[in-house]
Amino acid sequence: MTLADNSATSPVINEKWVLIATILPSTIAFLSSSILNIALPNIQKEFNATASSVFWVVNVYMLFLSALILLGGSLGDHFGRKRIFMIGIWGFTITSFLCGIAPSIELLIIFRALQGIGGALMVPGSLAILSAVIPTERRGMAIGTWSTFSTLASIIGTPLGGLIVGADLWRVLFFANIPLGILAIYILSRYVPETRDADASTAKLDYGGALLITLSLAGITYGLSEIGTLGISDPLILVTLGGGLLTFIGFLLVERGNKHALVPFYLFKNRTFSGANLLTLFLYAALGASSVFLPMNLIQVQNYSPEIAGIATLPIGIGIALMGRWSGRLVDRVGARPPLTVGPIITGIGFALLGFTGITGGADDYWLTFFPPIALISFGMGLVVAPLTTAVMSSVPVTSSGTASGINNAVARVAGVLALAIFSAMMMAIFTDNLGSRTSTLPLDSESRAFLDIEATRLAEASPPPNLPDETAQAIVLAVDESFIEAYRVVMIIMGVMCCVGGLFAFAVIDHKQIA
């Protein structure tokens, strides 16, 4: 690591301002994902969109973020972490404005893709700057503070986002990123020193690897997402899935023989680094997909208002915020393995229990239905977040911090992308099958059944055919809700199992003595 070339004019290192400067952009990233999930039902209704289109609003951002975040980390090590971080913030801020004014679901998806590119330059810089500037003996505390305040911002934003969405002003959620981005850029330029990897500054960047992994993820994600709609035998699905898998194999081959690989495989020789990233894959796959399906369940099936739905999911963020600094100090004392074993198992039990929550009486039943499993997820994730990040960043040399941060962030995002693609297809297939079974005995003519087949692509937002008797229409509404719950139950139980498996794997693989 080296500081900016002109040390005489470099900003004085002040750890407090470094924390603030890295927390603010993280806040933007968290807000853009967690709050947007609350807004998805409103976005679907405003644009009269299918469930697949709405999922793409989330997934296209995550796809480009996941594919290019590795390059973003390398660019920071190469050209300067602060410089690339600031470019990413500018890009994210500008595209947030474009998302806010999008006149159609198609343009919103395009602008979200561009926002993902900005995020790929922004996200890895946050932890890379912390690891490069904060001394080792205080790094666990610093990362815990970063986790706490970033999550606290999301906690405040979630109910606020619910209020905004409840007022049918979801576009404001994007506009809110603009002042935060500008403030972060000001603090960075004034108080944070430049750091870079001296060895990386003369190395070649792996643009080919970035292109291959982007094409691979795009093909695989599209193929998995649309299986539920088009069917696995559709030529487009076969081409995109097959092309994505072949491109991924090409990516692995290219990276293996590349001295300047986007993914340096030697880092994975460290079993703590490998184990922490595999745990990240399992845990964030469940967390990413559930953060989309849970609000849809609460708003579209349980009839929660957006405001109440935002508040209902608060305990998850509160648990992470309250436990972040404590769990960061815990790693400094006892190592990462204990919390990374217990936390995922508790989280997994919470996800599985969420799957057994059927149709309730609405928000009045929240404390006896959704709250207990959400509280378990809250406690489990509170044990995991800071130790997991610390384990990853402390298992590699400081000179590779940008690359390591990029890899771990990419794993987390890829997990969310693939999980949402796989589970949305699974949801669609189970929902469609159940809806067909539950409505098979209803007195519907062929035109009404064709209408219902089309509506099934909207999942819980599906409406009964027009001009039906009230009794038949109400039976279809109930069938839609029950079919969604059945599909939701299956995927939530699978997510719970994934988390528990990740915790057991962490116990077997992560070397807690290495984390200091």
Side-chain angles (χ1 to χ4, degrees), residues 81 131 139 266-267 392-402 404:
R81 299 179 179 105
S131 295
R139 193 175 300 154
Y266 70 85
L267 292 177
V392 170
M393 300 304 292
S394 300
S395 62
V396 300
V398 172
T399 54
S400 299
S401 60

Side-chain angles (χ1 to χ4, degrees), residues 112-287:
R112 284 283 286 169
L114 296 175
Q115 192 177 48
I117 297 173
L121 299 178
M122 179 179 74
V123 171
S126 179
L127 286 175
I129 289 173
L130 278 184
S131 295
V133 173
I134 304 297
T136 303
E137 64 272 13
R138 293 193 297 278
R139 193 175 300 154
M141 176 73 77
I143 292 175
T145 303
W146 174 87
S147 299
T148 297
F149 280 92
S150 296
T151 307
L152 185 61
S154 295
I155 291 173
I156 296 171
T158 299
L160 179 61
L163 291 172
I164 294 171
V165 172
D168 203 22
L169 298 172
W170 61 266
R171 296 176 186 273
V172 175
L173 301 179
F174 290 108
F175 295 141
N177 294 334
I178 298 172
L180 292 176
I182 293 173
L183 179 59
I185 289 169
Y186 171 78
I187 296 174
L188 277 162
S189 62
R190 186 173 179 87
Y191 295 107
V192 178
E194 182 62 280
T195 63
R196 60 172 58 85
D197 181 355
D199 295 330
S201 62
T202 58
K204 294 181 179 179
L205 289 168
D206 187 12
Y207 295 111
L211 177 62
L212 286 172
I213 193 63
T214 302
L215 292 174
S216 173
L217 282 176
I220 293 172
T221 303
Y222 181 84
L224 291 174
S225 298
E226 300 300 322
I227 282 179
T229 303
L230 301 178
I232 195 170
S233 61
D234 187 274
L236 183 58
I237 297 298
L238 295 175
V239 169
T240 52
L241 272 180
L245 292 172
L246 288 175
T247 309
F248 182 70
I249 293 172
F251 169 76
L252 294 177
L253 294 175
V254 168
E255 294 297 282
R256 186 174 183 180
N258 189 349
K259 293 181 180 180
H260 310 291
L262 200 62
V263 180
F265 287 124
Y266 70 85
L267 292 177
F268 289 92
K269 293 180 180 178
N270 183 303
R271 72 176 195 170
T272 295
F273 183 78
S274 297
N277 276 288
L278 190 59
L279 175 58
T280 299
L281 182 70
F282 286 136
L283 198 63
Y284 280 84
L287 194 64

